[in-house]
Amino acid sequence: MPLSMATPGIYRVKAINGGRTMLKRLTDMGLRIGSILQVVSINPFGPVIVQVNNTRLALGKSVAHRIIVEGAE
């Protein structure tokens, strides 16, 4: 499911559907395929707040929609 549709909880990044620039930017921020992240909050009209490796990131809805996640077991 897209990250933009997730509820607060723990997830694993399954895929990133974006261009080379977006992939590099997210990788530089610590968000890689296989990474475990925690969705802290989702605002219907604002950013998605996630925590990756003790770093909080605010991702816009369009970016969050391109990140595919699955529940982390």
Side-chain angles (χ1 to χ4, degrees):
M1 90 176 100
L3 180 60
S4 60
M5 298 176 73
T7 57
I10 307 293
Y11 297 91
R12 180 184 316 274
V13 177
K14 193 171 169 184
I16 299 174
N17 300 326
R20 191 178 325 172
T21 304
M22 178 187 287
L23 188 59
K24 179 169 177 9
R25 194 175 112 220
L26 292 174
T27 300
D28 289 346
M29 291 191 291
L31 196 61
R32 298 170 176 82
I33 295 172
S35 295
I36 301 295
L37 60 84
Q38 177 182 2
V39 175
V40 177
S41 69
I42 295 184
N43 183 340
F45 303 106
V48 176
I49 309 295
V50 298
Q51 184 166 337
V52 181
N53 300 329
N54 297 323
T55 302
R56 286 198 176 186
L57 305 172
L59 303 172
K61 284 288 186 185
S62 62
V63 173
H65 195 69
R66 294 171 181 247
I67 300 171
I68 307 302
V69 296
E70 63 185 0
E73 287 94 36

